[in-house]
Amino acid sequence: MIVLRNISKIFNHGSAPITAVDDVNLSIEQGQIYGIIGYSGAGKSTLIRLLNGLEKPTSGSVLVNGQDISAARGEALRQARLKISMVFQHFNLLWSRTVSENIAFSMQIAGTPKAQIKARVAELVDLVGLTGRENAYPAQLSGGQKQRVGIARALANSPDVLLCDEATSALDPQTTDQILDLLLDINRKFKLTIVLITHEMHVVRKICDRVAVMENGRVVEEGEVLNVFTHPQQPITRQFVRQVSQYAEEEAFNPDLAAGLDGNIIKLTFVGLSTHQPVVGELTLRYGLPFNILHGKMTQTAHGVFGQLWLHVVATPEQLTSIVNDLQLHDIDTEVVKYA
């Protein structure tokens, strides 16, 4: 659906060139919700502008549905952009137009017949939950309602790709969740490919299928959201994971909890069905040992539950080896973080 091949973007401002995007390769499948996360200056906003042709890459190619957007010009680019819509952080609504008129605007530019525009606007108003607010102006709307208008407007021409550039960062947490639920519903109903640019891991956790982590213009980590949450490889990824789950070892497990304890500390990572297994009870019965739970938490993602548990047990080396093997046979990742 979307393929980025060796994409780089260099801005030549002032005396020194600035590399905003540095040799990025990504593949996004049809119907995926794909997150691109990074802090300010990571290059993610430049990357999303490369996806719809607002910026041209210095090198590399951007393919959307087989078309090279990076090479498109004139009418070909205009037609391509009709199928690649964007939702903005600060809504970018026309303040002198009503909700209905804002939604209709892009269809008017595209030359859609009036009767078709009217029917499509009514359909979209209902889809985004703004029935009864059709004649309101943006100044009369809440932040969440404004973003619903922005989403409806972006969907007006039935795009294949929806780009969301920090679409929830100006909203409060409750409204953010409502907008994310709306995007997830739209994705499931229309199989629409959604690319989310964000600096909030909560957004990625809640609705994304895959995520790419950017730092200094490069993608430093990429994968399925559940895997990235349970096994973050890069320091910056672990920082993002801590935003919502506090699962990095130094925060999820406080060593002071084990101060003065003899024995072993075992970290268990559960994914999917393994989160429902009575692990501690089974270990106690099997080995006749008291297992002390030091810390634990479970988190929901769009593709399942994962959790981590820190256990303390006094066991012989032979018992410890057997315990670890038993847990791994139950598809539970196990790590001994402190030996007796």
Side-chain angles (χ1 to χ4, degrees), residues 23 71 114-115 122 167 187 204 209 224 258 267 273-275 278 282 301 319 334-335 340:
D23 196 27
K114 288 185 178 180
N187 168 260
V204 171
D209 301 305
E224 294 181 359
K267 182 176 77 172
L273 294 176
S274 65
T275 58
E282 289 182 357
T301 73
Q319 287 174 319
T334 307
E335 178 186 357

Side-chain angles (χ1 to χ4, degrees), residues 103-104 106-107 117-131 148-149 151-158 182 186 190:
I103 297 171
S106 62
M107 289 184 285
I117 290 175
K118 184 177 180 181
R120 181 64 172 158
V121 167
E123 177 187 348
L124 290 168
V125 164
D126 179 64
L127 176 68
V128 301
L130 287 174
T131 301
R148 289 173 186 271
V149 178
I151 292 170
R153 178 187 57 189
L155 296 175
N157 288 309
S158 301
L182 174 60
I186 289 167
F190 305 110

Side-chain angles (χ1 to χ4, degrees), residues 225-244:
V225 168
L226 196 55
N227 290 338
V228 170
F229 261 87
T230 53
H231 300 96
Q233 301 299 308
Q234 300 297 321
I236 189 172
T237 310
R238 291 193 285 270
Q239 289 178 27
F240 280 123
V241 169
R242 284 201 296 270
Q243 288 182 358
V244 290

Side-chain angles (χ1 to χ4, degrees), residues 46-288:
T46 300
L47 186 65
I48 202 171
R49 290 169 63 85
L50 291 167
L51 293 180
N52 61 7
L54 290 176
E55 295 284 355
K56 296 295 182 183
T58 305
S59 60
S61 61
V62 179
L63 302 177
V64 179
N65 271 339
Q67 182 178 5
D68 190 346
I69 300 297
S70 55
R73 298 290 188 276
E75 180 63 17
L77 181 58
R78 191 182 77 83
Q79 290 299 321
R81 282 178 177 163
L82 288 176
K83 293 299 181 181
I84 308 172
S85 289
M86 184 176 285
V87 180
F88 302 91
Q89 176 181 357
H90 296 296
F91 321 126
N92 288 13
L93 301 180
L94 299 170
W95 297 92
S96 61
R97 291 177 176 246
T98 65
V99 167
S100 292
E101 290 167 345
N102 266 281
I103 297 171
F105 185 65
S106 62
M107 289 184 285
Q108 292 168 346
I109 292 176
T112 306
K114 288 185 178 180
Q116 190 174 333
I117 290 175
K118 184 177 180 181
R120 181 64 172 158
V121 167
E123 177 187 348
L124 290 168
V125 164
D126 179 64
L127 176 68
V128 301
L130 287 174
T131 301
R133 302 296 285 162
E134 298 93 331
N135 298 317
Y137 288 89
Q140 299 171 307
L141 303 176
S142 67
Q145 289 172 330
K146 291 173 187 172
Q147 197 56 288
R148 289 173 186 271
V149 178
I151 292 170
R153 178 187 57 189
L155 296 175
N157 288 309
S158 301
D160 297 322
V161 178
L162 183 64
L163 307 177
C164 299
D165 190 4
E166 300 280 9
T168 61
S169 62
L171 305 175
D172 63 76
Q174 182 177 359
T175 305
T176 291
D177 280 346
Q178 292 170 354
I179 294 299
L180 294 177
D181 286 338
L182 174 60
L183 290 172
L184 187 58
D185 185 54
I186 289 167
N187 168 260
R188 288 172 174 171
K189 282 183 178 178
F190 305 110
K191 306 302 180 185
L192 184 66
T193 304
I194 299 177
V195 181
L196 287 167
I197 299 295
T198 185
H199 64 272
E200 300 171 298
M201 201 61 168
H202 167 71
V203 171
V204 171
R205 176 191 66 83
K206 188 172 176 66
I207 69 169
C208 291
D209 301 305
R210 295 183 71 88
V211 60
V213 182
M214 290 194 71
E215 185 176 28
N216 297 325
R218 300 184 68 87
V219 172
V220 297
E221 190 162 349
E222 195 273 346
E224 294 181 359
V225 168
L226 196 55
N227 290 338
V228 170
F229 261 87
T230 53
H231 300 96
Q233 301 299 308
Q234 300 297 321
I236 189 172
T237 310
R238 291 193 285 270
Q239 289 178 27
F240 280 123
V241 169
R242 284 201 296 270
Q243 288 182 358
V244 290
S245 63
Q246 296 185 347
Y247 274 6
E249 187 171 317
E250 64 268 27
E251 291 193 19
F253 170 63
N254 183 352
D256 292 340
L257 294 173
L261 290 177
D262 294 326
N264 311 283
I265 297 171
I266 309 172
K267 182 176 77 172
L268 282 58
T269 300
F270 306 78
V271 178
L273 294 176
S274 65
T275 58
H276 302 293
Q277 297 181 38
V279 173
V280 178
E282 289 182 357
L283 290 175
T284 300
L285 291 173
R286 182 177 179 85
Y287 293 96

